[in-house]
Amino acid sequence: MGTEAVQRAALVFRLFDANGNGVLDAQDFELMTERVLAAAPDSGKGARKAFADSLRRYWEGLVQGLDTNGDGVISPEEFEGFVLDPTRFAPTAAEFADALAALGDPDGDGLIDRARFLGLMTAIGFAVPNINALFDAFGPDAGDRIAVAVWADGIRDYYTPGASGIPGDRLVSLPA
């Protein structure tokens, strides 16, 4: 596993620590859900529910797999060990990827425009220069749109420990 994967995991932890208390807890996932759904008010009810459910299951997977002392919180070290284990985390990452990407396509045409992508990624907490670099790396079309499937695959790659030199590395490598 490369340093890129460790950096990606550390960034995700910081972003998901929505209340800033240094650990992940249920409130963080509720806050993240609210922020992201607020950035997608015109997404369909099914897409909104799928996203909320994906984050609920993300949290449940963390607690069930890592909270051995039952304190209801996950430390950065516990988190890294989980998200960097593809056998344990791949299904959770895939569900999250599909649900987030679907929020970006309210009209169902299979495409996400830059403004929508920027809004969703900003709601998660990524820095605007990094978001734009990622969008560009996905190869937008002449209408400045990317395919939903490309973004979902990019999210899956982001959570793949052995992946290196992927578009998602732009979220951690550029100065924010």
Side-chain angles (χ1 to χ4, degrees), residues 88-101:
R88 294 174 70 191
F89 191 68
T92 302
E95 180 185 9
F96 173 73
D98 292 337
L100 179 58

Side-chain angles (χ1 to χ4, degrees), residues 6 16 25 32 40 51-52 65-66 100 103 108 112 114 136 143 150 154 157 167 173:
V6 173
F16 272 105
D25 55 42
M32 181 63 70
F51 179 76
L66 303 175
L100 179 58
L103 281 179
I112 302 165
R114 185 182 299 267
D136 291 339
V150 168
D157 289 347
S173 64

Side-chain angles (χ1 to χ4, degrees), residues 103-125:
L103 281 179
D105 185 21
D107 63 4
D109 68 355
L111 299 169
I112 302 165
D113 67 40
R114 185 182 299 267
R116 181 64 166 221
F117 185 83
L118 186 62
L120 290 168
M121 294 293 281
T122 301
I124 292 170

Side-chain angles (χ1 to χ4, degrees), residues 3-5 7-9 11-12 14-15 114 117-118 121 125-140 146 150-151 154-155 157-159 163-176:
T3 57
E4 297 97 339
Q7 290 172 335
R8 292 190 306 257
L11 176 60
V12 167
R14 285 191 309 274
L15 297 177
R114 185 182 299 267
F117 185 83
L118 186 62
M121 294 293 281
F126 292 104
V128 172
N130 300 75
I131 297 167
N132 281 315
L134 175 61
F135 191 85
D136 291 339
F138 285 147
I146 60 169
V150 168
W151 188 19
I155 296 167
D157 289 347
Y158 190 90
Y159 284 104
S164 178
I166 61 169
D169 287 338
R170 286 158 179 82
L171 293 172
V172 295
S173 64
L174 293 175

Side-chain angles (χ1 to χ4, degrees), residues 19-172:
N19 62 16
N21 65 356
V23 295
L24 298 183
D25 55 42
Q27 182 187 28
D28 290 318
F29 285 78
E30 291 169 19
L31 291 169
M32 181 63 70
T33 299
E34 290 171 13
R35 288 190 339 215
V36 173
L37 291 179
D42 58 341
S43 290
K45 191 175 189 176
R48 295 170 64 78
K49 182 179 181 329
F51 179 76
D53 289 349
S54 79
L55 278 187
R56 182 181 43 77
R57 281 191 277 279
Y58 195 133
W59 170 244
E60 289 170 356
L62 290 176
V63 169
Q64 291 169 5
L66 303 175
D67 188 18
T68 56
N69 65 1
D71 65 356
V73 301
I74 306 300
S75 72
E77 297 77 22
E78 291 169 324
F79 180 79
E80 181 181 300
F82 182 70
V83 300
L84 295 179
D85 181 344
T87 60
R88 294 174 70 191
F89 191 68
T92 302
E95 180 185 9
F96 173 73
D98 292 337
L100 179 58
L103 281 179
D105 185 21
D107 63 4
D109 68 355
L111 299 169
I112 302 165
D113 67 40
R114 185 182 299 267
R116 181 64 166 221
F117 185 83
L118 186 62
L120 290 168
M121 294 293 281
T122 301
I124 292 170
F126 292 104
V128 172
N130 300 75
I131 297 167
N132 281 315
L134 175 61
F135 191 85
D136 291 339
F138 285 147
D141 66 13
D144 209 22
R145 301 169 302 177
I146 60 169
V148 170
V150 168
W151 188 19
D153 288 345
I155 296 167
R156 284 183 192 85
D157 289 347
Y158 190 90
Y159 284 104
T160 301
S164 178
I166 61 169
D169 287 338
R170 286 158 179 82
L171 293 172
V172 295

